[in-house]
DNA sequence: TTGTAGGCGTTATCAA
DNA sequence: TTGATAACGCCTACAA
C-alpha cells in the first residue's frame, strides 16, 4: 500500500510551493493564482491522483464540513425521506452527513452523540423526538455546536424546531371519523416520553371533547408495529372499551393495531376504522391502504437543514419554530361506523 | 463560542505533560501510567469537558476509524436492515459508519465516493449492486482501501462479496408457482445493469425451462414501484403475453405490478399470482401480503462488515464470496392457477 | 513512569 | 502572484 499522495508531491511535480497548490485547489482562492500555474497544478494533481485529506484540512480550518444527524430508528420508514431532505440541502453546500442510529436507546444515543462530537461536526440535527434528551441538546449548545430539532411536538428550549402541524392533523383525523358517523374513538398514542405523543394526545383530547364524542387515550410503549399490536391487545382485554374507530400515534402503530384486530376477527374498516399518522412511504400499499395524516417529511428535513446552515453561518441560534402544513390522506382503512 | 478544550488544557490542569494525558486517555496505553496520575488526568478531563479531536488523531495515526457505505437508495427498505447489520458489527469495534446515498445516479456515486476518500475512510462497503461501477471499486483498491461488495449477483473482480443465494431463491419461487399449477410465468426483472438482475434472470430461464413451463422475461427500468407499474403496463399492452404468475425482480417491482394489475381489474392472487424478492420489511403488511424470497439482509450487512474488518486488519483482500441461504416466505400474493 | 520533540497534511499570515 | 513559516491537536519513538 503506497503512501498517499500529498500536497507536497503535487507541488514538487508542478514545480511550485505547496502553498500555491493549496490556493490553486481551493475554489475560494484559486483566483489568486496565475492561470498558467493553475493549469500546471491541476494537471499535476490529476496525474498523481491527489485526494485532499479532509482530516488535515479540518484540523487546520477547524471546520469538518460535516453534520451529525441523530435518529432513533432507521427502520422506521419516516426517516429515510427526512434524511433525503437533509442531504439534498446539505450536500449542495459541500457538507457530508453523518447519520447516527440510536435504536431509541439512551446510552447508544449518548455514545453516538459523543462520537459525532469527537468528529467535530459543524452542527447537529436531532430527530429523536424524545422529551428527555434535553441534556444532549444542551451539551451540544455548550460545545458551541448549532442544533436543530426535528419532528418535535413543541419547543422546550430555545432551539430551532421544525415539524408538521400535529394539532391540525389530529383535527383533520377526528373530523373525518366523526363525519363517518363514529361516536366512540380511541387514540392509541405513542410512548409518553415522545414529544409528538404529548401534543397529539392533547389535541385529541381537546378535539374529541369539542366534537362531543366518547373517547379515550391508551399508550403504546414504542412507535412500532409490535407495540401497536400489544396496545390493541390491552384494549381488547378491557371489555369496557369498544370504539368503532382508532387514531394511532403513527402508521406503524396503526399497522400493529390492524394486525391484532384482524387476529380477533375484526375487519378494518367494516368493524373498526383506523387512522394513521405520518403517511409514511408505502402507506397506500398496505392492507388495507392506510388513511393517514400526511407529514411533508422531505420538506421537514430540508427546512431543518436550512435552519441549521443559517445557525452555522450566523453563529447564533434563534428559537424559531417552523410548523409545516399537513393534510389527511383518506384511503381504505376508514369507513362508515357500523350500525 | 469558547475555544475547544485540548489535550494541553487537560495536561495543565492535571499538572502532567500532554503525552501523559494522551497515554492516560487511550485504552491501549493507559496501563503505562501510574494509577494515581491516571485518576488525576481523568478527573481533569471530565472537569474540563474534554472531547478528543478525531481529526487530529486521525491525521496523526492515519486511520480515521471510519467506514464508507455506498448505497443506491435509502428509500428502498432493504437497505436499512443491511445498514443496521453493518453498524452493529462496526460500532462494536469503534468505527463510525458514513452512509452515502447515490440515488442510483452515476455522478452522485462518484462524488460521494470522492468525498469518502477525502475523509480517508478505512474501508468501503459498496451496495450499489451495479455491474458498471467497477471503476469505483478499482479506484478504491488502487488507493489501498479495502472494499467489500454487497448484494451482488456474481463476482466480477477479485473482491470479497456477500449476498443471498439468488439461484436457490429463483428455484424456490418457480417451484412454488409450478406446484400451484402455473404453466405460464413471466419474470419482471430489474434493470439489466444490476448484477442481481442478471443472475436471477439466468436462473429463471434455466429453472423455468427445466420445469417445462412457458416463460418470458421482461425488464423494469428500475427497482421501484413505479418501474414495476410501468413494466406491467408494457406487458398488458402486448396481447400475446398472458401469464398466470409473475416473478418480480424485487418486492418494490412486485408492488408496482400488483398496482397495475389491480387497475386493470385483475385480482391478485385469484387471477395472477405474484412473487417478490428480498422479503423486505413490511412485505407481510401489504395488500395482499407478499410471497417473497427471504434475504437475510441484516446478516448480509453484518458479514460484509466482518469481511471488511478482516481486510483492514490483514491488509489483504481475498476474493472470498459469501452466499447466505434464502427461504421462500409464502403469503397471500400467490395462489392456485386459475382454471 | 514521565517528559521531550517531531511530524501527520493543510491552510493562513506575512513577506518577498 | 508566489514562497516561507507556523500552527491546528494529537500520538509515538526515544530519552530521562
Amino acid at each position: 500500500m503506497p503512501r498517499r499522495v500529498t500536497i507536497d508531491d503535487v507541488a514538487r511535480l508542478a514545480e511550485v510551493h505547496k502553498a500555491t497548490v493549496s490556493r490553486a485547489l481551493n475554489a475560494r482562492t484559486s483566483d489568486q493564482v496565475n492561470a498558467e500555474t493553475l493549469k500546471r497544478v491541476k494537471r499535476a494533481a490529476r496525474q498523481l491522483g491527489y485526494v485532499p485529506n479532509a482530516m488535515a484540512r479540518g484540523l487546520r480550518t477547524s471546520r469538518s464540513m460535516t453534520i451529525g444527524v441523530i435518529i432513533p430508528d432507521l427502520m422506521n420508514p419516516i426517516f429515510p425521506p427526512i434524511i433525503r431532505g437533509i442531504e439534498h440541502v446539505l450536500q449542495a453546500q459541500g457538507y457530508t452527513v453523518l447519520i447516527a442510529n440510536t435504536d431509541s436507546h439512551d446510552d447508544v444515543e449518548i455514545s453516538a452523540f459523543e462520537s459525532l462530537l469527537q468528529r467535530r461536526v459543524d452542527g447537529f440535527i436531532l430527530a429523536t423526538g424524545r422529551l428527555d434528551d434535553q441534556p444532549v441538546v444542551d451539551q451540544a449548545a455548550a460545545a458551541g455546536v448549532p442544533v436543530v430539532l426535528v419532528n418535535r411536538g413543541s419547543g422546550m428550549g430555545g432551539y430551532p424546531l421544525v415539524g408538521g402541524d400535529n394539532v391540525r392533523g389530529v383535527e383533520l383525523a377526528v373530523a373525518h371519523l366523526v363525519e363517518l358517523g363514529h361516536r366512540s374513538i380511541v387514540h392509541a398514542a405513542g410512548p409518553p416520553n415522545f414529544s409528538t405523543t404529548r401534543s397529539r394526545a392533547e389535541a385529541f383530547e381537546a378535539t374529541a371533547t369539542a366534537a362531543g364524542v366518547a373517547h379515550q387515550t391508551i399508550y403504546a410503549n414504542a412507535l412500532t408495529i409490535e407495540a401497536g399490536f400489544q396496545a390493541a391487545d390491552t384494549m381488547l382485554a378491557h371489555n369496557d372499551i369498544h370504539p368503532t374507530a382508532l387514531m394511532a400515534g403513527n402508521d406503524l402503530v396503526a399497522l400493529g393495531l390492524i394486525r391484532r384486530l384482524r387476529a380477533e376477527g375484526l375487519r378494518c374498516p367494516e368493524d373498526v376504522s383506523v387512522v394513521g399518522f405520518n403517511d409514511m412511504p408505502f402507506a397506500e400499499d398496505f392492507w388495507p391502504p392506510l388513511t393517514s395524516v400526511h407529514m411533508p417529511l422531505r420538506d421537514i428535513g430540508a427546512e431543518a437543514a436550512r435552519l441549521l446552515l443559517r445557525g452555522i453561518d450566523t453563529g447564533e441560534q434563534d428559537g424559531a419554530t417552523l410548523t409545516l402544513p399537513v393534510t389527511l390522506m383518506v384511503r381504505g382503512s376508514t369507513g362508515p361506523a357500523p350500525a
Side-chain angles (χ1 to χ4, degrees), chain A residues 33-339:
Chain A
V33 20
N34 182 291
E36 201 55 45
T37 321
L38 181 61
K39 214 182 299 172
R40 219 168 60 241
V41 170
K42 285 195 164 166
R43 181 147 36 82
R46 196 164 350 100
Q47 192 174 327
L48 294 174
Y50 170 69
V51 178
N53 184 323
M55 294 188 292
R57 181 193 310 227
L59 180 57
R60 178 61 235 235
T61 61
S62 62
R63 309 192 73 210
S64 65
M65 291 307 283
T66 264
I67 301 293
V69 176
I70 300 186
I71 62 169
D73 181 13
L74 233 203
M75 309 270 285
N76 183 335
I78 71 162
F79 291 109
I82 292 177
I83 290 171
R84 202 186 179 121
I86 291 173
E87 283 185 333
H88 180 73
V89 171
L90 256 25
Q91 277 174 358
Q93 306 296 319
Y95 285 90
T96 293
V97 176
L98 306 188
I99 300 168
N101 235 339
T102 71
D103 289 331
S104 309
H105 222 322
D106 283 38
D107 42 343
V108 180
E109 173 168 341
I110 291 176
S111 78
F113 176 72
E114 175 78 13
S115 151
L116 293 173
L117 228 37
Q118 292 193 6
R119 303 226 126 80
R120 294 296 189 270
V121 294
D122 298 327
F124 278 104
I125 295 181
L126 289 192
T128 63
R130 297 219 325 251
L131 279 171
D132 44 11
D133 58 6
Q134 183 78 40
V136 166
V137 182
D138 287 340
Q139 197 183 336
V145 184
V147 181
V148 171
L149 269 24
V150 149
N151 240 10
R152 290 274 175 162
S154 56
M156 327 171 313
Y159 302 97
L161 186 67
V162 19
D165 190 337
N166 286 302
V167 174
R168 180 78 187 123
V170 171
E171 289 170 358
L172 288 170
V174 171
H176 170 63
L177 293 173
V178 168
E179 193 170 332
L180 285 170
H182 296 276
R183 291 294 171 266
S184 175
I185 308 179
V186 161
H187 176 30
N193 66 330
F194 277 67
S195 60
T196 49
T197 295
R198 181 189 290 186
S199 48
R200 289 172 193 175
E202 281 172 359
F204 175 73
E205 183 64 27
T207 312
T209 302
V213 299
H215 61 279
Q216 189 164 345
T217 299
I218 62 178
Y219 293 86
N221 57 27
L223 287 171
T224 60
I225 292 184
E226 293 68 29
F229 190 94
Q230 211 182 329
D233 216 40
T234 312
M235 185 184 76
L236 292 168
H238 284 264
N239 43 15
D240 54 330
I241 312 184
H242 297 289
T244 61
L246 301 173
M247 185 182 97
N250 76 356
D251 292 330
L252 295 174
V253 170
L255 243 29
L257 295 172
I258 292 174
R259 267 197 204 169
R260 181 65 186 81
L261 258 28
R262 191 177 299 146
E264 194 72 11
L266 291 167
R267 294 159 307 162
C268 172
E270 291 82 355
D271 300 314
V272 183
S273 285
V274 176
V275 181
F277 231 101
N278 288 342
D279 189 27
M280 70 181 211
F282 310 109
E284 62 184 305
D285 297 289
F286 293 128
W287 184 33
L290 230 51
T291 293
S292 186
V293 175
H294 177 84
M295 288 277 174
L297 301 171
R298 224 196 122 124
D299 291 344
I300 287 176
E303 290 301 341
R306 291 201 190 93
L307 235 47
L308 184 62
L309 285 178
R310 189 132 58 85
I312 291 173
D313 289 344
T314 68
E316 58 187 65
Q317 295 266 61
D318 48 357
T321 102
L322 198 54
T323 303
L324 302 183
V326 301
T327 54
L328 182 69
M329 304 299 293
V330 177
R331 303 200 184 91
S333 67
T334 50

